[in-house]
Amino acid sequence: MSFELPKLPYEYTALEPHIDARTMEIHHSKHHNAYVTNLNAALAGTEGENHSIEDICKNISKYPAAVRNNGGGHFNHSLFWTIMGANKGGMPTGKLMDAITNELGGWDKFKEDFNKAGATRFGSGWAWLCVNADKKLAVCSTPNQDNPLMDIADCKGTPILGCDVWEHAYYLHYQNRRPDYMTAFWNVINWDEVSRRYEAAL
Ligand code: MN3
């Protein structure tokens, strides 16, 4: 079995003006594609070929660095594309919003903490909203292409929302202004998909 680049669930232009089409095209067709190609090469002929990307992440300490970097890259971007969309943004409703209110100190505090997790990640990485082992929401960040599924992560859980803060995710349009990119990110979040992932993780 080899992994494949998933099709984007929308056009490259769909997230404009918040995330520009050229960035989306390069990010998906070059960066994500390279993670998939390199992951398949790193797993070729090994037992890891028989596992799902989630299982690989959960046991990542047993794999070489090429699998951690490229497998993380594949999992993270596959999630990232689905939690964004055209004409999205706003706020979640229902159980997810109740949990943000009760477990994260409310909507404004959650946004502040999530933005801070991304802004303060030195170098490259991701900001996450995840469901931890106690089934509670948590905000955190991971370096490089690590993620909270990984057994080596400082913050462990099931990620339900992630923001890519690698420069390749924003540099063409925002240059060094990562906080501006993160502000814009809130306008493209597909909360229906995040809520679906939340309820599946409970
Ligand atoms: Mn990326």
Side-chain angles (χ1 to χ4, degrees):
M1 180 189 87
S2 61
F3 293 102
E4 289 179 11
L5 181 69
K7 253 183 79 72
L8 267 195
Y10 38 75
E11 301 297 319
Y12 288 132
T13 53
L15 308 184
E16 292 200 338
H18 310 293
I19 302 181
D20 64 284
R22 184 80 176 127
T23 295
M24 287 299 293
E25 182 177 0
I26 296 171
H27 202 172
H28 176 259
S29 70
K30 305 292 186 198
H31 290 277
H32 190 172
N33 194 53
Y35 295 126
V36 172
T37 301
N38 294 334
L39 174 63
N40 287 333
L43 289 173
T46 73
E47 197 258 341
E49 281 189 307
N50 305 313
H51 294 282
S52 68
I53 191 61
E54 288 80 8
D55 284 339
I56 290 171
C57 287
K58 287 175 182 172
N59 296 285
I60 205 69
S61 61
K62 297 177 185 151
Y63 290 89
V67 174
R68 177 172 169 179
N69 293 334
N70 294 291
H74 177 46
F75 175 87
N76 296 347
H77 289 84
S78 297
L79 180 148
F80 187 53
W81 311 133
T82 69
I83 57 84
M84 299 189 290
N87 305 310
K88 301 294 184 186
M91 292 158 81
T93 54
K95 281 185 189 170
L96 177 57
M97 191 62 191
D98 291 346
I100 288 171
T101 303
N102 296 325
E103 297 165 18
L104 296 178
W107 176 252
D108 290 345
K109 179 72 163 64
F110 158 57
K111 274 186 80 170
E112 184 186 324
D113 287 349
F114 189 89
N115 285 342
K116 192 171 161 194
T120 58
R121 165 53 56 195
F122 183 77
S124 297
W126 291 75
W128 300 106
L129 174 64
C130 38
V131 178
N132 69 20
D134 297 329
K135 304 296 181 189
K136 302 288 188 202
L137 290 175
V139 171
C140 68
S141 85
T142 54
N144 304 314
Q145 294 296 355
D146 289 356
N147 64 55
L149 278 185
M150 291 183 174
D151 57 2
I152 45 80
D154 289 335
C155 61
K156 290 189 189 60
T158 302
I160 61 171
L161 171 69
C163 183
D164 186 345
V165 299
W166 284 57
E167 283 188 343
H168 69 222
Y170 62 86
Y171 203 86
L172 288 181
H173 187 73
Y174 294 97
Q175 292 82 49
N176 61 319
R177 304 188 310 278
R178 186 189 290 181
D180 290 355
Y181 155 71
M182 291 205 68
T183 298
F185 174 70
W186 293 92
N187 296 310
V188 298
I189 298 175
N190 179 353
W191 286 110
D192 289 341
E193 174 63 13
V194 180
S195 287
R196 189 194 65 76
R197 288 174 179 269
Y198 173 64
E199 295 191 25
L202 288 180

